[in-house]
Amino acid sequence: MPVLQGKKIVLAVSGSIACYKSVELLRLLIKAGSEVQVLLTPSAKHFVGELTFATLSKKPVFSTIFDEQNTQHHWANHVALGKWADLMIIAPATNNTIAKLASGICDNMVHAVYLSATCPIIIAPAMDLDMHEHPSLHKNIQILKEYGNIVLPTNSGELASGLIGYGRMLEPHQIMEYVTDMFMPKWNKPLSHRTVLITAGPTQEQIDPVRFISNYSTGKMGYAIANAYLKQGAKVILISGPTHIPVPYHSNLTFVKIKTAQEMYEATQKYFNLANTFVMTAAVADYKPKTKATEKIKKQNETDNFTIELIQNPDILKWVGNNKKQGDFVVGFALESTNEQEYALKKLHSKKADMIIMNSINTPNAAFGADTNEVHIYTHTHPEYHIPNTSKQELAYLLVKYIEQVQGTKFI
Ligand code: C5P
């Protein structure tokens, strides 16, 4: 069952231009199966209407502690909500809201529920550059962390004022990663004995200085698996093709950036002896141009066609399978469009892998570029295992768990 299914979440929104992102965050929380109660500070209502939040959450939105029509009902609510919630998210949290949270001021529903809450609290700040740099903010954030709250970082970029710098609220999908993480079951035994080599993303095979052959891979699945292993205490060597994903910051991570399949192959060989687990998620280009033009190729005339001769790239997974050491565990991915099971099983044998994780391009919201994925897993020892469509982050956690389970039985 998805980890957010049935979770009770209070989403508190304070008045910032980033409020529009909270609408998307609400949508993602609801889509993940959680029940959400939205609270708006009075100034948040200037940015996004109550009706938008109420419609998406299918619940009335609360704002003030005292309501002229139903004072008693609302007064009681903040205590009940604080106890009801499994998680409270304050996003965006403005400088004003953060200062009040840190000092215990209670003049609207958000602060009243915050002070009554017994659940974990995630705070996602949003403010302009000068406010973000003011020492009072840093002091208040420090206080909030000391109280046990999780205060998220901000992104750098263009701010509402036009200034560039830190202060942008994290994107909804980034906040979702923290939220999902919070509800993941914790493992009893850390994976500190594992060093996992992961290949991720596409490769680019150069034609001339301005053109290359590549594919639609974004690297999301490989990075999610790297993060899942790091969180469980494993050491990770992440060999990545060009992606737009931020590199995880972790002392257990060795990050190697490459462009071509040949470079990925050489990096894999270089780190091969350090690793005991291999997860090859990369969409490696099978072919590359035989020659690489040193100058930009020009159109010859109006009618000529142009032919590029392609030669095979090394099959990295196959090399790892053929060279695996005693105790190594090798996982490959298979992206198929027809005869999915048959081709995946063929790969399991021909590449001497211990596991093939198959995703199909026929599955909606899965594989290349999607934020979610659905897989069927084949091994030599266990029956086919199906993980239904879920976020790549949650899937990564389940995959690491399953790899660990199968890997554990291989050497008994
Ligand atoms: O043969 P196919 O490309 O479908 O196999 C997919 C699996 O093989 C993936 O795990 C991919 O990372 C790996 N692979 C590789 N080197 C290649 C081609 C694929 O490691 N040249």
Side-chain angles (χ1 to χ4, degrees):
M1 189 166 77
V3 285
L4 289 182
Q5 187 70 47
K7 291 287 180 291
K8 301 187 190 79
I9 296 177
V10 167
L11 174 61
V13 180
S14 63
S16 149
I17 187 65
C19 279
Y20 75 92
K21 293 188 191 173
S22 305
V23 175
E24 175 66 4
L25 177 61
L26 170 60
R27 201 185 65 81
L28 293 175
L29 289 166
I30 298 282
K31 210 169 144 210
S34 34
E35 189 184 342
V36 187
Q37 173 62 57
V38 177
L39 310 178
L40 299 181
T41 64
S43 59
K45 292 195 220 169
H46 293 296
F47 290 92
V48 182
E50 269 177 84
L51 187 60
T52 307
F53 287 107
T55 310
L56 285 171
S57 64
K58 299 193 175 67
K59 280 181 193 294
V61 165
F62 299 137
S63 184
T64 51
I65 307 175
F66 298 104
D67 180 341
E68 295 305 315
Q69 280 106 49
N70 196 351
T71 306
Q72 183 55 39
H73 171 67
H74 265 225
W75 186 86
N77 248 327
H78 74 264
V79 180
L81 272 177
K83 304 280 172 269
W84 169 83
D86 296 314
L87 172 70
M88 180 173 188
I89 307 169
I90 306 177
T94 59
N95 219 314
N96 182 43
T97 290
I98 287 175
K100 285 182 187 171
L101 295 174
S103 62
I105 291 175
C106 179
D107 61 358
N108 63 43
M109 254 323 243
V110 170
H111 299 289
V113 173
Y114 165 76
L115 290 169
S116 313
T118 47
C119 59
I121 295 168
I122 292 180
I123 298 170
M127 63 214 50
D128 222 285
L129 190 62
D130 303 316
M131 287 182 173
H132 189 267
E133 286 180 0
H134 200 280
S136 64
L137 175 73
H138 298 272
K139 203 165 162 189
N140 287 331
I141 286 182
Q142 192 51 38
I143 293 171
L144 289 175
K145 284 184 177 171
E146 279 163 21
Y147 290 158
N149 301 294
I150 298 162
V151 184
L152 304 185
T154 56
N155 282 334
S156 175
E158 192 176 340
L159 298 158
S161 62
L163 296 172
I164 309 274
Y166 280 96
R168 286 173 64 88
M169 187 174 88
L170 292 191
E171 295 304 316
H173 71 92
Q174 292 177 302
I175 298 176
M176 281 300 282
E177 283 184 19
Y178 284 93
V179 173
T180 311
D181 229 40
M182 171 154 281
F183 291 110
M184 292 288 193
K186 301 289 169 275
W187 291 26
N188 307 331
K189 198 168 110 249
L191 300 181
S192 47
H193 55 300
R194 298 265 181 249
T195 300
V196 191
L197 188 152
I198 300 170
T199 64
T203 64
Q204 290 179 352
E205 312 299 330
Q206 203 180 323
I207 299 168
D208 69 9
V210 294
R211 303 183 181 97
F212 56 80
I213 296 172
S214 192
N215 55 62
Y216 292 118
S217 167
T218 56
K220 281 180 192 165
M221 195 67 247
Y223 278 61
I225 292 175
N227 274 317
Y229 268 114
L230 287 169
K231 277 186 193 124
Q232 304 308 332
K235 292 189 195 66
V236 172
I237 301 157
L238 177 60
I239 303 174
S240 170
T243 73
H244 296 288
I245 308 176
V247 180
Y249 180 76
H250 204 289
S251 56
N252 276 350
L253 175 73
T254 304
F255 183 75
V256 186
K257 188 117 194 154
I258 55 87
K259 267 199 181 142
T260 65
Q262 182 63 30
E263 288 166 3
M264 186 175 269
Y265 180 52
E266 285 164 19
T268 302
Q269 289 180 321
K270 178 174 169 191
Y271 290 98
F272 177 71
N273 281 326
L274 297 179
N276 47 32
T277 307
F278 298 83
V279 184
M280 318 304 272
T281 68
V284 185
D286 288 329
Y287 295 94
K288 64 176 172 189
K290 187 174 179 186
T291 53
K292 197 163 74 182
T294 49
E295 301 294 333
K296 185 182 170 198
I297 299 168
K298 296 275 183 209
K299 194 157 63 175
Q300 297 302 315
N301 58 46
E302 291 306 318
T303 51
D304 253 13
N305 288 331
F306 180 69
T307 306
I308 304 172
E309 190 180 348
L310 300 178
I311 55 168
Q312 271 203 27
N313 267 322
D315 190 320
I316 306 165
L317 172 59
K318 200 167 187 173
W319 182 87
V320 170
N322 280 328
N323 290 280
K324 63 184 164 188
K325 311 169 292 290
Q326 175 78 23
D328 282 356
F329 195 83
V330 178
V331 181
F333 269 69
L335 178 66
E336 305 296 347
S337 54
T338 51
N339 303 336
E340 285 99 336
Q341 186 185 31
E342 182 194 333
Y343 288 143
L345 284 169
K346 258 193 193 152
K347 253 166 231 178
L348 183 69
H349 291 97
S350 67
K351 303 206 186 206
K352 297 211 174 75
D354 297 293
M355 178 182 287
I356 289 287
I357 299 168
M358 192 279 292
N359 40 184
S360 168
I361 60 168
N362 299 322
T363 312
N365 302 319
F368 273 177
D371 288 322
T372 56
N373 205 357
E374 173 172 345
V375 297
H376 293 260
I377 307 176
Y378 304 94
T379 62
H380 299 285
T381 46
H382 290 58
E384 177 184 335
Y385 181 54
H386 173 223
I387 305 183
N389 197 279
T390 184
S391 72
K392 283 190 174 166
Q393 186 195 5
E394 193 171 347
L395 180 65
Y397 175 89
L398 297 172
L399 287 177
V400 169
K401 210 163 173 202
Y402 188 63
I403 293 169
E404 194 53 31
Q405 185 188 326
V406 178
Q407 192 166 6
T409 57
K410 185 181 167 191
F411 306 108
I412 293 171

